[in-house]
Amino acid sequence: MRIAVGQGSCGIAAGAVKAYNVFENNLNLAENELTVTGCIGMCYLEPIVDVYDGDCLHRFVRVGEDAAKRIADAVNRRDFSDTADIEISDEDRSFLEKQTRIALRHCGIINPEKIEDYIADDGYKALAKVLNTMSTEQVIDEIKLSGLAGRGGAGFPTWFKWNAARQSEGDCKYLICNADEGDPGAFMDRAVIESDPHNLIEGMLIAAYAIGASEAVVYVRAEYPLAIKRLEKAIGEARRKGFIGNNIMGSGFSCEMRIKAGAGAFVCGEETALIESLEGSRGMPRLKPPFPAQSGYWRKPSNINNVETFANVSWIILNGGSAFSAMGTENSKGTKVFALTGKIKRGGLVEIPMGQTLRHVIFDIGGGIKNGKEFKAVQMGGPSGGCIPAELLDTVIDYKALSATGAIMGSGGMVVMDSDTCMVEMARFFLDFTAKESCGKCVHCRLGTKRMLEILTRITEGNGKEEDIDLLRELCLAVKDGALCGLGQTAPNPVLTTLKYFENEYIGHIRDKQCAAHECTALLRYEINSDACRGCTLCAKKCPVNAIAGTVKNPHIIDADKCIKCGNCKSVCRFGAVEVK
Amino acid sequence: MSCNCNSKSDFSLLEPCLAEYGSVKGSLITILQKAQEIYGYLPTDVILHISKRTGVKVTKIMGVATFYSQFRLEPVGKYLIMLCQGTACHVNGSQQIEKTVNEYLGIKDGETTEDGLFTLKNVACLGCCSLSPVMMINDETYGSLTPEKAVEIFDELKKRAGEENL
């Protein structure tokens, strides 16, 4: 049998290495194969162990050391009759079954550190097909037929960018992969690199061939050490097999590949800022035009694509562009990977054809809101995106349809929120992020995000003014209009969408000094319900600022002026007498 | 930033990196990353040395070092706590974990404990969103945090540091 222990970053953080060690020490390794896979994307079930018994798969979830021992015994005895309780449930099985995996097709299935696993599943066959039988125009035509659009968030037609770079003059061109993945809440690129690095490499080599580049660089954010390690290993393996370097597969096409680690700057996800960073400078965007296709890395023609975009290329070449465009909608073809997180029951990576509804992803696949709470909004597109409310849950996943809501498809982050999430605080949270990450080059973004943050902070602290809402809107439109790059141009989106769909919360904060979600501490009032209070004095004892007065067996009272809203009284009260308003 | 221009860093440790990248254009960030790996942060004398060896002006190096959040111009504690401030972590209670660090270890964002063991740094999304709230301490990732779990982890590390000193 083949025992595969999932070891993506999340799996490892959940204890996968400990489980692996148990297998190493207890499995009959003479008869069975123990291996490592990457991230299958069912993060809420990690650590995950797959046991392949011929064609039969036993998938074990939440595998701690005890469970690992039980599984090892079952494998050695070839008897799984008493491990059913730790196998995946039918409900959880549906999380994967409802997906259509193309970019993620090998993730969690193959060993990312063994090129042989990749080759065994048609690995590098697409590259061979391209180098042996297709011209650069034919490759680009196939990508055009597929309708593949940039998966990093901009959704720009991939074939167009490749073609522009191909047509640019010059014999020195660069192919760059944007693996900066700075959107908070997004980790699909990390999963691809940690779990299927060869798929990325193959896609990049095909693109390099198409545009005529002889050097490829992967810009990976510093916060992904495991991804960098696995990719480095994969590049080494590919080079040894002759897939990277001179005269690849005897075709006459040569291409070198290297990794460049980022150093922690969200703005470097913007392609021209990324190029500046590659050149060793501060990551400050350049004015476009000229576009990278004409003047990019070291002012040479360059093409930059996101990891997920490249992860679709080999499949498209092998199966044909029409097979890809058969899925999806009129203007959004193929599949898209989403990182479903937040207040969701089943969180993880979801890859589905474009055209399904948000409701389907969140409720049918994700299982809805955890802890029985109510859905309030889903944040899509990270700091460039927006919050989509319940009444728009039937919005179809499609670039245009999502833009129409005020949000964007973005890189695929989907953070689900319930009634305990304050939407004004959410807007403040995103502006805090973009103001910090603003490179400072242009006035509109540098000052605009700072001022928007100041206003939002005042509102969440109970110091909002009537004119703040109009001022916020005015600032938002000015920043969108005047900012140099995508960071500034989209920074106002979280504010604009929350103003559009949750204006009542802003008004509540400003006019009534109330936070409906009970999240903004400054606006909370802790009160003791005198009917429920038994006068046990515990809260008074636990209050760090002596704000509670009362005698034994008599109802206690909180002095609102002294109260710092730490919540201690509520957490120690055994009678539920402390109310938060 | 405290002046430490009288301190002497061992430049020979950086020599292999400078030999490989010193004259390769565009390598400044790579060199700074290697230097930080070696010295734990970017001491002023190291920055001056890099400028001398590569020809890149000190102002440019400082511009790059202060632009990227990875670079530190001050030494950090033995354990660098990187607390994720991503959206999913925020929604699932990262503020409570931060409060726990503030209260239990007595340090705020950017500060180091008196005994030099822990430094707290709030960082942007670490990409382990399904395990939110998350923190990384040096190279280890800790997920599904609660205030109690965080305290357990800090105690365990304190113990480990104590044992290493014996």
Side-chain angles (χ1 to χ4, degrees):
Chain A
M1 295 189 217
R2 180 172 174 259
I3 296 91
V5 180
Q7 288 195 26
S9 287
C10 288
I12 293 172
V17 176
K18 288 197 183 121
Y20 185 88
N21 292 338
V22 169
F23 286 117
E24 257 193 328
N25 296 329
N26 290 281
L27 266 182
N28 181 345
L29 292 171
E31 287 184 8
N32 301 293
E33 184 201 342
L34 176 62
T35 186
V36 162
T37 60
C39 178
I40 200 166
M42 287 193 291
C43 312
Y44 69 108
L45 294 173
E46 291 285 359
I48 298 174
V49 175
D50 286 347
V51 178
Y52 293 88
D53 183 6
D55 280 334
C56 178
L57 166 65
H58 293 275
R59 177 160 281 157
F60 297 95
V61 298
R62 297 193 180 99
V63 178
E65 288 176 287
D66 291 336
K69 183 81 181 36
R70 286 176 61 195
I71 298 165
D73 286 343
V75 169
N76 290 339
R77 283 182 290 115
R78 308 191 79 80
D79 174 10
F80 294 96
S81 53
D82 59 356
T83 49
D85 59 313
I86 48 176
E87 276 200 51
I88 189 170
S89 67
D90 287 330
E91 209 191 317
D92 286 332
R93 206 189 300 269
S94 73
F95 183 83
L96 271 188
E97 283 170 355
K98 288 180 175 161
Q99 298 188 31
T100 305
R101 290 198 158 191
I102 291 179
L104 299 182
R105 65 191 183 281
H106 295 133
C107 296
I109 313 289
I110 65 170
N111 185 337
E113 304 197 19
K114 273 179 75 180
I115 193 172
E116 292 77 18
D117 270 21
Y118 183 71
I119 290 172
D121 192 31
D122 289 346
Y124 290 104
K125 281 214 176 108
L127 179 63
K129 180 178 176 183
V130 158
L131 294 179
N132 293 329
T133 68
M134 294 172 84
S135 66
T136 58
E137 291 95 332
Q138 284 170 322
V139 174
I140 291 177
D141 279 342
E142 201 68 48
I143 299 298
K144 184 174 182 185
L145 192 57
S146 74
L148 180 64
R151 293 294 191 250
F156 199 78
T158 306
W159 78 270
F160 191 92
K161 276 170 84 164
W162 290 17
N163 204 36
R166 187 183 74 86
Q167 287 175 335
S168 278
E169 284 189 14
D171 51 8
C172 178
K173 297 184 186 175
Y174 296 99
L175 191 283
I176 301 168
C177 173
N178 184 345
D180 195 50
E181 194 163 61
D183 270 359
F187 54 96
M188 45 296 249
D189 292 350
R190 174 178 67 67
V192 168
I193 305 175
E194 284 178 0
S195 317
D196 195 9
H198 289 286
N199 187 21
L200 170 63
I201 293 171
E202 191 176 9
M204 286 177 68
L205 290 168
I206 291 170
Y209 170 76
I211 70 169
S214 54
E215 194 176 327
V217 189
V218 189
Y219 185 93
V220 189
R221 66 194 298 241
E223 294 86 334
Y224 287 172
L226 180 60
I228 293 177
K229 176 176 153 231
R230 290 213 172 130
L231 185 58
E232 244 160 26
K233 180 152 195 217
I235 291 176
E237 284 185 311
R239 192 175 280 124
R240 278 191 292 281
K241 287 270 192 211
F243 300 141
I244 294 177
N246 274 332
N247 194 17
I248 298 171
M249 295 181 185
S251 65
F253 168 65
S254 303
C255 189
E256 257 313 323
M257 191 178 287
R258 62 185 169 93
I259 298 172
K260 177 83 182 70
F266 172 70
V267 67
C268 288
E270 197 281 337
E271 61 180 4
T272 60
L274 191 158
I275 289 172
E276 286 287 310
S277 185
L278 273 180
E279 294 181 6
S281 300
R282 288 161 69 91
M284 293 172 115
R286 301 173 180 171
L287 195 53
K288 296 190 280 199
F291 293 88
Q294 287 85 40
S295 171
Y297 185 35
W298 300 123
R299 307 292 164 169
K300 304 282 189 208
S302 312
N303 177 72
I304 302 179
N305 281 124
N306 173 266
V307 171
E308 193 188 331
T309 310
F310 285 125
N312 284 294
V313 170
S314 62
W315 189 96
I316 290 171
I317 296 294
L318 285 178
N319 295 280
S322 350
F324 195 76
S325 61
M327 293 179 282
T329 65
E330 179 71 43
N331 40 55
S332 303
K333 300 293 183 191
T335 59
K336 176 82 190 79
V337 181
F338 293 97
L340 189 58
T341 61
K343 300 289 180 82
I344 191 86
K345 263 205 201 121
R346 301 197 280 265
L349 293 176
V350 178
E351 184 174 3
I352 43 162
M354 304 275 200
Q356 298 191 353
T357 63
L358 292 172
R359 190 186 298 278
H360 175 70
V361 176
I362 296 168
F363 289 91
D364 295 336
I365 300 180
I369 308 296
K370 62 184 180 190
N371 301 329
K373 297 252 168 104
E374 282 251 349
F375 173 89
K376 186 169 186 182
V378 60
Q379 209 283 335
M380 283 196 71
S384 309
C387 297
I388 302 176
E391 56 265 31
L392 294 178
L393 271 172
D394 292 308
T395 304
V396 146
I397 289 171
D398 167 271
Y399 286 104
K400 272 210 180 113
L402 287 169
S403 295
T405 67
I408 60 169
M409 176 90 71
S411 59
M414 256 191 188
V415 185
V416 175
M417 298 162 191
D418 64 17
S419 46
D420 288 342
T421 314
C422 172
M423 303 316 284
V424 185
E425 161 58 25
M426 228 39 243
R428 187 209 65 80
F429 167 81
F430 279 116
L431 258 304
D432 183 54
F433 179 81
T434 40
K436 273 197 191 107
E437 298 289 342
S438 168
C439 77
K441 186 169 181 177
C442 70
V443 174
H444 282 72
C445 178
R446 186 177 74 242
L447 273 184
T449 53
K450 190 182 170 81
R451 295 297 176 229
M452 285 194 280
L453 175 61
E454 279 172 4
I455 297 171
L456 288 163
T457 306
R458 270 197 298 99
I459 296 175
T460 55
E461 287 176 350
N463 298 319
K465 298 183 239 180
E466 281 292 335
E467 54 269 27
D468 280 342
I469 292 181
D470 284 340
L471 180 57
L472 264 180
R473 276 210 181 93
E474 200 185 326
L475 265 175
C476 284
L477 296 176
V479 172
K480 267 182 104 64
D481 211 17
L484 172 62
C485 82
L487 188 153
Q489 287 157 4
T490 58
N493 286 354
V495 184
L496 287 171
T497 50
T498 50
L499 275 175
K500 183 174 179 184
Y501 300 116
F502 300 98
E503 190 171 355
N504 54 318
E505 286 197 36
Y506 281 84
I507 294 172
H509 279 66
I510 295 172
R511 198 173 296 163
D512 311 321
K513 310 292 182 207
Q514 288 231 336
C515 172
H518 293 169
E519 204 186 320
C520 298
T521 341
L523 301 183
L524 298 178
R525 263 184 353 264
Y526 279 76
E527 283 177 10
I528 295 176
N529 181 335
S530 50
D531 292 327
C533 177
R534 308 281 188 88
C536 73
T537 76
L538 192 51
C539 60
K541 291 194 180 107
K542 291 293 180 183
C543 177
V545 295
N546 291 324
I548 306 182
T551 49
V552 179
K553 300 236 174 109
N554 284 313
H556 281 45
I557 300 179
I558 298 176
D559 181 346
D561 289 330
K562 284 191 186 160
C563 175
I564 59 165
K565 294 134 197 202
C566 66
N568 268 3
C569 51
K570 185 171 164 72
S571 50
V572 302
C573 178
R574 287 163 294 162
F575 307 104
V578 180
E579 290 166 2
V580 184
K581 299 206 174 131
Chain B
M1 182 179 143
S2 56
C3 170
N4 53 7
C5 48
N6 287 325
S7 60
K8 269 274 187 236
S9 302
D10 182 356
F11 298 147
S12 67
L13 299 172
L14 194 55
E15 205 34 55
C17 167
L18 285 171
E20 191 180 347
Y21 293 106
S23 45
V24 178
K25 67 175 180 172
S27 301
L28 179 59
I29 293 174
T30 307
I31 294 171
L32 291 177
Q33 284 169 331
K34 201 72 200 140
Q36 182 159 288
E37 226 180 273
I38 293 169
Y39 303 104
Y41 69 113
L42 295 175
T44 312
D45 60 349
V46 170
I47 289 178
L48 295 172
H49 177 71
I50 291 173
S51 174
K52 250 196 249 149
R53 288 280 276 109
T54 61
V56 179
K57 294 202 166 63
V58 177
T59 43
K60 170 142 189 190
I61 300 179
M62 286 304 291
V64 168
T66 52
F67 184 86
Y68 294 98
S69 64
Q70 188 191 31
F71 296 127
R72 307 182 277 268
L73 297 171
E74 302 268 351
V76 292
K78 186 178 167 75
Y79 299 115
L80 176 60
I81 302 167
M82 288 172 282
L83 186 56
C84 181
Q85 298 295 329
T87 321
C89 287
H90 180 82
V91 157
N92 279 324
S94 61
Q95 283 163 320
Q96 267 208 311
I97 309 299
E98 189 177 356
K99 229 172 110 197
T100 306
V101 177
N102 295 152
E103 287 167 4
Y104 190 70
L105 294 178
I107 47 175
K108 296 208 278 283
D109 184 22
E111 293 177 357
T112 304
T113 51
E114 294 245 344
D115 56 10
L117 268 187
F118 297 101
T119 301
L120 172 63
K121 208 171 161 203
N122 282 332
V123 294
C125 180
L126 291 171
C128 285
C129 314
S130 287
L131 294 175
S132 53
V134 169
M135 68 180 170
M136 266 182 92
I137 301 183
N138 298 354
D139 277 332
E140 293 254 352
T141 309
Y142 300 92
S144 308
L145 293 174
T146 57
E148 293 76 26
K149 207 170 159 194
V151 166
E152 260 176 47
I153 293 166
F154 300 144
D155 283 344
E156 171 63 41
L157 290 171
K158 268 188 201 161
K159 196 164 141 228
R160 204 187 290 175
E163 282 161 9
E164 282 171 18
N165 282 334
L166 290 172

